[in-house]
Amino acid sequence: MKRALLLFSLLASSAAHAQGSPRTVTIGLGYIPNVQFTPFYVADKLGYYRAEGVNVKFQHGAVSELMPLLLQGKLDFVVGDPEDAVFARNQGAPVRYVMAMYQKSPVTVFSTKPLNRAADLKGKTLGIPGTFGSSYAATRALLDAAGLREGRDVRLASIGFTQLEAVRAGRVDAAVGYLNNEVVGLRGAGERVYTLDLSAAYPMVGVGLITLDKTLGGDLARKVVRASQRGLKFTAGDPARAFRLAQPVFGSGGGTLEVLRASVPLMQSAYTRANGLGASDPAAWTKAVAALVKQGSLPAGTKANTFYTNSLISKTLR
């Protein structure tokens, strides 16, 4: 018996050595533990990363703090806006956006006063978090498409992340926020909310996975993306169960099921039905990058495919 047990132990040890120990991967998640990161929490809870031979750890913080850690090799991936990758790479950082959690940016202009088209903003004060990021890029594209000039036709007021309170208190006429955040909160409080769709002017994909160029050389990135795609698929298919699985991570103050349900439509599109969850629509990238060039944020002639790749996306996961 002892010999049999010893033989079994040696064989198991040999098999484990042959397969290799699970690779520990750290993913930086912008902000704090929150319902918006449910697909990643679910992929961990259900063992999708482990099935790929990956032991995942999450590190929360501001994306402005996480991106330097990615460049220093202290993080393997960061979940951030596509603009985070665009502007970093434009400045020489070897980063690339590799999987879209949202097919459409959740950025919207919202108000509790009638608001039906961009022209209705003329003569109004529009609250923005600040002159940075996806919300500012989308706002500038919207105003440009409507022939409205910043400052002359529409006053932009930097109000930080107080959009809901600022609109409710009447400190601004409208604000730039998120369909799956402030809009959900106001409607949940029983208020009528008017929104403007910015995607025609700025059809950029939303938050997603960003990694270093050198990580694309092996199979690690493909494994992490595949597991994350499975998390996306599970969340989109059963948001209520996904919420229950993920809530122990983000707690009772980290967001509601209503927020997650409002996020699910952003995860899917006609493009993903044909090309797999997490794929980026090249046409959307091309138009959005053209808008950034027009705004002077990127040099003339910049090519959209410089900043992203769909090469890691599994088309069988739809």
Side-chain angles (χ1 to χ4, degrees):
M1 176 64 78
K2 289 183 178 179
R3 288 182 179 177
L5 288 174
L6 178 60
L7 179 60
F8 177 80
S9 177
L10 290 172
L11 288 173
S13 176
S14 177
H17 180 73
Q19 293 173 2
S21 300
R23 165 72 187 273
T24 296
V25 170
T26 304
I27 301 177
L29 302 177
Y31 197 47
I32 59 177
N34 191 269
V35 68
Q36 66 180 301
F37 303 117
T38 290
F40 299 98
Y41 300 146
V42 163
D44 184 29
K45 289 278 188 179
L46 294 180
Y48 296 157
Y49 293 113
R50 288 192 297 277
E52 297 288 350
V54 172
N55 175 37
V56 71
K57 293 183 178 179
F58 299 122
Q59 180 172 329
H60 290 272
V63 174
S64 59
E65 300 168 344
L66 297 176
M67 287 295 284
L69 295 179
L70 176 68
L71 294 174
Q72 294 165 21
K74 295 178 180 178
L75 294 176
D76 299 288
F77 297 85
V78 166
V79 175
D81 288 327
E83 292 81 7
D84 295 321
V86 167
F87 296 135
R89 191 171 186 90
N90 184 55
Q91 293 172 4
V95 298
R96 202 177 297 264
Y97 181 99
V98 297
M99 189 199 82
M101 182 168 76
Y102 293 156
Q103 289 299 304
K104 174 183 175 182
S105 171
V107 174
T108 187
V109 172
F110 70 96
S111 178
T112 54
K113 302 172 184 177
L115 183 65
N116 300 304
R117 53 181 184 160
D120 294 339
L121 292 171
K122 188 171 184 178
K124 304 289 177 46
T125 296
L126 177 62
I128 58 174
T131 54
F132 55 82
S134 59
S135 59
Y136 185 51
T139 299
R140 294 180 70 189
L142 176 73
L143 297 182
D144 181 69
L148 298 173
R149 292 189 182 179
E150 180 182 334
R152 188 192 71 177
D153 299 315
V154 180
R155 176 179 173 266
L156 298 185
S158 294
I159 58 175
F161 295 99
T162 65
Q163 302 102 309
L164 190 150
E165 295 82 2
V167 166
R168 182 175 277 166
R171 293 196 297 272
V172 294
D173 298 296
V176 179
Y178 297 93
L179 288 166
N180 55 347
N181 191 346
E182 291 86 3
V183 173
V184 172
L186 285 170
R187 285 176 176 161
E191 297 198 43
R192 183 169 183 180
V193 186
Y194 298 86
T195 63
L196 293 180
D197 186 351
L198 279 61
S199 62
Y202 190 73
M204 183 62 98
V205 295
V207 65
L209 269 178
I210 301 167
T211 193
L212 296 173
D213 285 349
K214 66 179 183 181
T215 306
L216 302 178
D219 63 352
L220 176 65
R222 188 176 301 279
K223 290 179 176 182
V224 171
V225 167
R226 186 162 50 222
S228 302
Q229 282 184 273
R230 293 181 67 190
L232 273 173
K233 183 177 181 179
F234 186 95
T235 301
D238 194 344
R241 187 179 172 199
F243 181 84
R244 290 194 298 272
L245 286 168
Q247 191 176 35
V249 182
F250 59 78
S252 59
T256 65
L257 177 56
E258 288 68 31
V259 168
L260 183 58
R261 282 183 169 144
S263 303
V264 165
L266 301 171
M267 300 175 185
Q268 307 163 91
S269 68
Y271 191 80
T272 64
R273 285 192 286 275
N275 297 280
L277 283 171
S280 288
D281 186 346
W285 270 92
T286 297
K287 186 170 181 179
V289 167
L292 293 173
V293 170
K294 188 174 183 180
Q295 292 170 16
S297 299
L298 293 174
T302 299
K303 302 296 183 183
N305 60 9
T306 303
F307 306 110
Y308 77 97
T309 179
N310 280 328
S311 63
L312 305 179
I313 300 298
S314 172
K315 292 186 177 183
T316 60
L317 283 171
R318 293 174 181 161

